[in-house]
Short mmCIF file of all heavy atoms in Angstrom, two decimals:
data_model
loop_
_atom_site.label_atom_id
_atom_site.label_comp_id
_atom_site.label_asym_id
_atom_site.label_seq_id
_atom_site.Cartn_x
_atom_site.Cartn_y
_atom_site.Cartn_z
N LEU B 50 -21.65 -74.02 -49.32
CA LEU B 50 -21.19 -74.35 -50.70
C LEU B 50 -19.69 -74.22 -50.88
O LEU B 50 -19.03 -75.04 -51.52
CB LEU B 50 -21.98 -73.43 -51.75
CG LEU B 50 -23.36 -73.77 -52.02
CD1 LEU B 50 -23.95 -72.79 -53.07
CD2 LEU B 50 -23.63 -75.20 -52.44
N LYS B 51 -19.12 -73.11 -50.34
CA LYS B 51 -17.63 -72.96 -50.46
C LYS B 51 -16.92 -74.05 -49.71
O LYS B 51 -15.94 -74.55 -50.23
CB LYS B 51 -17.30 -71.56 -49.81
CG LYS B 51 -17.63 -70.43 -50.70
CD LYS B 51 -17.32 -69.04 -50.06
CE LYS B 51 -17.78 -67.91 -50.81
NZ LYS B 51 -17.50 -66.62 -50.25
N ARG B 52 -17.43 -74.46 -48.58
CA ARG B 52 -16.71 -75.57 -47.82
C ARG B 52 -16.84 -76.93 -48.65
O ARG B 52 -15.92 -77.62 -48.69
CB ARG B 52 -17.35 -75.72 -46.48
CG ARG B 52 -17.01 -74.66 -45.45
CD ARG B 52 -17.66 -74.83 -44.16
NE ARG B 52 -17.32 -76.05 -43.64
CZ ARG B 52 -16.44 -76.21 -42.49
NH1 ARG B 52 -15.88 -75.11 -41.94
NH2 ARG B 52 -16.17 -77.37 -42.13
N LEU B 53 -17.99 -77.11 -49.26
CA LEU B 53 -18.14 -78.35 -49.96
C LEU B 53 -17.26 -78.30 -51.22
O LEU B 53 -16.71 -79.36 -51.63
CB LEU B 53 -19.64 -78.53 -50.40
CG LEU B 53 -20.57 -78.95 -49.20
CD1 LEU B 53 -21.98 -78.94 -49.67
CD2 LEU B 53 -20.20 -80.29 -48.57
N ASP B 54 -17.22 -77.19 -51.91
CA ASP B 54 -16.38 -77.05 -53.15
C ASP B 54 -14.92 -77.21 -52.69
O ASP B 54 -14.11 -77.75 -53.55
CB ASP B 54 -16.56 -75.70 -53.78
CG ASP B 54 -17.96 -75.58 -54.47
OD1 ASP B 54 -18.47 -76.58 -54.71
OD2 ASP B 54 -18.33 -74.48 -54.78
N ALA B 55 -14.49 -76.84 -51.51
CA ALA B 55 -13.13 -76.98 -51.17
C ALA B 55 -12.81 -78.39 -50.62
O ALA B 55 -11.72 -78.62 -50.26
CB ALA B 55 -12.78 -75.96 -50.02
N GLY B 56 -13.86 -79.28 -50.52
CA GLY B 56 -13.62 -80.67 -50.14
C GLY B 56 -13.72 -80.76 -48.54
O GLY B 56 -13.22 -81.81 -48.05
N ILE B 57 -14.21 -79.79 -47.86
CA ILE B 57 -14.25 -79.85 -46.45
C ILE B 57 -15.65 -80.36 -46.09
O ILE B 57 -16.70 -79.78 -46.53
CB ILE B 57 -14.06 -78.41 -45.78
CG1 ILE B 57 -12.71 -77.86 -46.25
CG2 ILE B 57 -14.25 -78.54 -44.25
CD1 ILE B 57 -12.52 -76.44 -45.85
N SER B 58 -15.68 -81.37 -45.34
CA SER B 58 -17.03 -82.02 -44.97
C SER B 58 -17.72 -81.06 -43.94
O SER B 58 -16.98 -80.41 -43.12
CB SER B 58 -16.82 -83.37 -44.40
OG SER B 58 -16.10 -83.36 -43.20
N LEU B 59 -18.99 -81.04 -43.93
CA LEU B 59 -19.77 -80.24 -42.99
C LEU B 59 -20.14 -81.15 -41.78
O LEU B 59 -20.54 -82.29 -41.97
CB LEU B 59 -21.05 -79.80 -43.70
CG LEU B 59 -20.88 -78.92 -44.88
CD1 LEU B 59 -22.26 -78.59 -45.53
CD2 LEU B 59 -20.24 -77.62 -44.45
N PRO B 60 -20.07 -80.58 -40.60
CA PRO B 60 -20.51 -81.33 -39.42
C PRO B 60 -22.02 -81.62 -39.51
O PRO B 60 -22.77 -80.82 -40.03
CB PRO B 60 -20.21 -80.43 -38.25
CG PRO B 60 -19.28 -79.39 -38.80
CD PRO B 60 -19.47 -79.33 -40.30
N ALA B 61 -22.44 -82.79 -39.04
CA ALA B 61 -23.82 -83.18 -39.18
C ALA B 61 -24.78 -82.25 -38.30
O ALA B 61 -25.82 -81.92 -38.76
CB ALA B 61 -24.03 -84.63 -38.69
N ASN B 62 -24.24 -81.88 -37.17
CA ASN B 62 -25.15 -80.98 -36.40
C ASN B 62 -24.78 -79.54 -36.36
O ASN B 62 -25.26 -78.75 -35.58
CB ASN B 62 -25.28 -81.53 -34.95
CG ASN B 62 -23.91 -81.42 -34.24
OD1 ASN B 62 -22.89 -81.06 -34.74
ND2 ASN B 62 -23.86 -81.84 -32.95
N GLY B 63 -23.76 -79.17 -37.13
CA GLY B 63 -23.33 -77.78 -37.25
C GLY B 63 -22.39 -77.33 -36.18
O GLY B 63 -21.97 -76.16 -36.06
N ASP B 64 -21.95 -78.28 -35.25
CA ASP B 64 -21.12 -77.92 -34.11
C ASP B 64 -19.61 -78.12 -34.59
O ASP B 64 -19.08 -79.18 -34.34
CB ASP B 64 -21.44 -78.70 -32.92
CG ASP B 64 -20.71 -78.15 -31.75
OD1 ASP B 64 -19.81 -77.25 -31.75
OD2 ASP B 64 -21.02 -78.64 -30.58
N ILE B 65 -18.98 -77.15 -35.20
CA ILE B 65 -17.59 -77.35 -35.70
C ILE B 65 -16.64 -77.47 -34.52
O ILE B 65 -15.56 -77.99 -34.72
CB ILE B 65 -17.25 -76.24 -36.67
CG1 ILE B 65 -17.24 -74.92 -36.02
CG2 ILE B 65 -18.13 -76.37 -37.93
CD1 ILE B 65 -16.65 -73.78 -36.90
N TYR B 66 -16.97 -76.89 -33.37
CA TYR B 66 -15.93 -76.91 -32.35
C TYR B 66 -15.77 -78.28 -31.67
O TYR B 66 -14.63 -78.60 -31.32
CB TYR B 66 -16.38 -75.84 -31.31
CG TYR B 66 -16.58 -74.52 -31.98
CD1 TYR B 66 -17.84 -73.96 -32.04
CD2 TYR B 66 -15.46 -73.81 -32.43
CE1 TYR B 66 -17.99 -72.64 -32.63
CE2 TYR B 66 -15.66 -72.54 -33.07
CZ TYR B 66 -16.88 -71.94 -33.14
OH TYR B 66 -17.05 -70.77 -33.73
N LYS B 67 -16.79 -79.08 -31.56
CA LYS B 67 -16.63 -80.34 -31.03
C LYS B 67 -16.12 -81.40 -32.04
O LYS B 67 -15.33 -82.22 -31.64
CB LYS B 67 -18.01 -80.82 -30.49
CG LYS B 67 -18.52 -80.15 -29.20
CD LYS B 67 -19.83 -80.63 -28.78
CE LYS B 67 -20.34 -79.80 -27.60
NZ LYS B 67 -21.68 -80.26 -27.15
N LYS B 68 -16.59 -81.29 -33.22
CA LYS B 68 -16.22 -82.29 -34.31
C LYS B 68 -14.81 -82.03 -34.78
O LYS B 68 -14.15 -82.99 -35.18
CB LYS B 68 -17.16 -82.21 -35.48
CG LYS B 68 -18.58 -82.66 -34.97
CD LYS B 68 -19.14 -83.79 -35.69
CE LYS B 68 -20.46 -84.07 -35.34
NZ LYS B 68 -20.71 -85.38 -35.02
N ASN B 69 -14.39 -80.82 -34.86
CA ASN B 69 -13.00 -80.50 -35.45
C ASN B 69 -12.15 -79.88 -34.37
O ASN B 69 -12.27 -78.63 -34.14
CB ASN B 69 -13.17 -79.56 -36.63
CG ASN B 69 -13.95 -80.22 -37.79
OD1 ASN B 69 -13.77 -81.35 -38.04
ND2 ASN B 69 -14.81 -79.54 -38.39
N PRO B 70 -11.33 -80.56 -33.61
CA PRO B 70 -10.57 -79.96 -32.54
C PRO B 70 -9.59 -78.90 -32.99
O PRO B 70 -9.00 -78.20 -32.21
CB PRO B 70 -9.82 -81.15 -31.92
CG PRO B 70 -9.99 -82.33 -32.81
CD PRO B 70 -11.11 -81.96 -33.72
N GLY B 71 -9.27 -78.80 -34.32
CA GLY B 71 -8.43 -77.73 -34.83
C GLY B 71 -9.01 -76.36 -34.75
O GLY B 71 -8.32 -75.37 -34.73
#
Side-chain angles (χ1 to χ4, degrees):
L50 284 182
K51 286 179 187 176
R52 288 180 60 106
L53 290 173
D54 287 344
I57 301 170
S58 63
L59 299 174
N62 65 356
D64 191 353
I65 63 171
Y66 304 110
K67 289 182 183 175
K68 298 237 181 229
N69 298 318

